[in-house]
Amino acid sequence: MERDYPRLTVTKKAERALRGGHPWVYGEEVVTDDGGWVDGDIVDVFSQNGKWLGAGWVNGVSKLRVRLLSRNGNDKFDEAFFRRRVRYAVDYRRMVMGGQFSACRLVFGEADGLPGFTVDRYNDVLVTEVLCAGLDRVKELLYRCLLDELAGEVTAVYERSDSPLRDKEGLDRVRGWAVGEAAGHTVIEENGVRFRVDYINGQKTGYFLDQSRSRAEIMRLAPGRRVLDCFTHTGAFALHAAVGGAERVTAVDVSETALDTARENAALNGVSDRVELVRADVFEYLTDMAAARRREHDLIILDPPAFTKSGSTLRAAYRGYKEINLKAMRLLPRGGLLATCSCSHFMTDELFRKMLAEAAADASVSLRQLYVGRQGPDHPILWGVPETEYLKFYVFQVV
């Protein structure tokens, strides 16, 4: 193996993580650094006893000093290398997404060997986010590769690299059309339900694609039920329930803009007469219902935003999750269903289950588990990289 990249040596802790499949090296884990690189260059990573551990993008600004690209000493980081990575990612989605390939996540960063890169597909448009200095250098090449793989299906790329995380990589924020141009919104179909997606102004890339399979489960359980969908956003769970045959659906969110889109989506699916949209703070709404002892629903869905994005706020997040789940359990009749989830990586499955057990004890109910879900297969979980496993979704019968 002949290498011509700058060399970094890392601690034994970092070596164990890399050998276990994790792709990150933190700044404090670097023992020696040959230098001679600038942010976004490729470097070789070695153990302290001289064993090569891989090669990846380096960044002196970021807490993540190196993001590993390859553990194959024969890899050359040329156009052919990136075309292979893109092709593997696209072929995998064709395999797992079937009829929903036109609206899915095409690239999920580290899980696809392209660290810091997110690509969502909405029909003929790709919406991207770049959060890595090294990948920022090759993004135009990656866009060409994606368009070649999706020739005849996709015609434009809109980049939404405007997250504060770009600042931590020493990158300017970028937002706009990278390739071509389109209307800025489209209508996708998920599990037979239609949704209007605003991929320029909507949250994240315009729609939360990761809950597709859990929404299908809600559709299956919905017939004849009275449903309360909390944190509905643009109505994804609410409309799956309504289209699935719910008797009536109440959908609550604090954002009037999101509810306007939910209203359009209800009309798109012909269920406006069975979907009530309420603008309210969910915590206050559940508190008021509990105070009035209003048990009006037999299926409650809790799909909150991430209450924590760091370990430092985990304790407060735990209390928040427990509060809404406790209130929901008390509002459900015997035999009612609770669908509850967390999209925070820091709220681990173990912690989430502990919180649910405590809430059930406080509510004096028992939980009969009906369904356990994770993010859809277009957001693959890579063993050895716990950050790729973030979504927990449970459905219980309250008994």
Side-chain angles (χ1 to χ4, degrees), residues 4-158:
D4 192 29
Y5 299 118
R7 175 174 175 149
L8 274 65
T9 301
V10 298
T11 64
K12 290 183 178 180
K13 178 184 175 184
E15 179 187 354
R16 286 194 298 271
L18 293 174
R19 291 192 185 281
H22 207 285
W24 296 345
V25 174
Y26 291 91
E28 62 269 21
E29 295 175 330
V30 176
V31 178
T32 64
D33 180 349
D34 288 352
W37 52 264
V38 297
D39 297 340
D41 279 354
I42 290 173
V43 297
D44 280 322
V45 179
F46 286 83
S47 69
Q48 287 177 274
N49 62 2
K51 298 292 186 181
W52 184 78
L53 300 172
W57 283 312
V58 66
N59 191 337
V61 177
S62 173
K63 284 177 62 178
L64 300 180
R65 182 61 50 85
V66 181
R67 298 180 191 238
L68 228 59
L69 260 180
S70 174
R71 303 167 196 272
N72 183 344
N74 295 316
D75 272 338
K76 297 178 181 178
F77 303 106
D78 53 11
E79 180 172 332
F81 172 86
F82 290 107
R83 284 195 176 276
R84 284 196 304 274
R85 287 285 164 95
V86 168
R87 184 170 66 252
Y88 295 157
V90 172
D91 286 350
Y92 168 79
R93 271 67 181 191
R94 289 189 192 277
M95 175 181 70
V96 299
M97 296 307 292
Q100 291 188 192
F101 180 62
S102 62
C104 69
R105 177 149 294 182
L106 282 181
V107 179
F108 187 42
E110 279 75 356
D112 286 298
L114 291 168
F117 194 36
T118 298
V119 182
D120 287 342
R121 178 184 178 185
Y122 299 114
N123 297 325
D124 60 350
V125 172
L126 302 181
V127 183
T128 71
E129 183 179 44
V130 177
L131 298 177
C132 170
L135 198 137
D136 200 64
R137 289 189 184 183
V138 297
K139 64 184 180 183
E140 285 81 9
L141 168 60
L142 293 173
Y143 296 158
R144 291 199 304 273
C145 296
L146 284 161
L147 291 173
D148 288 345
E149 288 294 325
L150 298 162
E153 301 177 63
V154 170
T155 58
V157 177
Y158 188 82

Side-chain angles (χ1 to χ4, degrees), residues 97-254:
M97 296 307 292
Q100 291 188 192
F101 180 62
S102 62
C104 69
R105 177 149 294 182
L106 282 181
V107 179
F108 187 42
E110 279 75 356
D112 286 298
L114 291 168
F117 194 36
T118 298
V119 182
D120 287 342
R121 178 184 178 185
Y122 299 114
N123 297 325
D124 60 350
V125 172
L126 302 181
V127 183
T128 71
E129 183 179 44
V130 177
L131 298 177
C132 170
L135 198 137
D136 200 64
R137 289 189 184 183
V138 297
K139 64 184 180 183
E140 285 81 9
L141 168 60
L142 293 173
Y143 296 158
R144 291 199 304 273
C145 296
L146 284 161
L147 291 173
D148 288 345
E149 288 294 325
L150 298 162
E153 301 177 63
V154 170
T155 58
V157 177
Y158 188 82
E159 185 175 345
R160 289 186 59 162
S161 300
D162 55 355
S163 165
L165 293 173
R166 293 266 299 185
D167 304 342
K168 297 180 179 180
E169 287 283 311
L171 299 171
D172 294 333
R173 301 189 194 186
V174 177
R175 190 184 185 107
W177 291 104
V179 180
E181 196 167 333
H185 55 83
T186 189
V187 174
I188 65 169
E189 189 170 300
E190 179 183 84
N191 303 315
V193 187
R194 303 177 74 207
F195 295 97
R196 184 182 185 275
V197 175
D198 182 344
Y199 49 80
I200 290 181
N201 299 306
Q203 284 192 36
K204 297 294 185 179
T205 64
Y207 187 75
F208 296 97
L209 293 160
D210 52 4
Q211 289 274 33
S212 173
R213 294 201 171 181
S214 293
R215 291 184 190 122
E217 181 66 12
I218 292 299
M219 178 181 276
R220 188 184 70 80
L221 294 169
R225 294 195 176 273
R226 296 159 295 144
V227 179
L228 174 62
D229 179 23
C230 300
F231 309 97
T232 193
H233 192 231
T234 57
F237 275 108
L239 295 180
H240 273 78
V243 173
E247 178 184 316
R248 60 183 174 85
V249 180
T250 302
V252 183
D253 201 277
V254 73

Side-chain angles (χ1 to χ4, degrees), residues 294-311:
R294 291 165 53 196
R295 289 191 167 187
E296 301 175 0
H297 308 93
D298 53 14
L299 169 55
I300 296 179
I301 304 163
L302 301 175
D303 182 24
F307 286 164
T308 178
K309 295 184 178 180
S310 71

Side-chain angles (χ1 to χ4, degrees), residues 358-375:
E358 290 178 2
D362 289 354
S364 300
V365 301
S366 295
L367 301 177
R368 177 183 288 154
Q369 183 174 300
L370 274 69
Y371 173 82
V372 180
R374 294 291 184 264
Q375 66 254 34

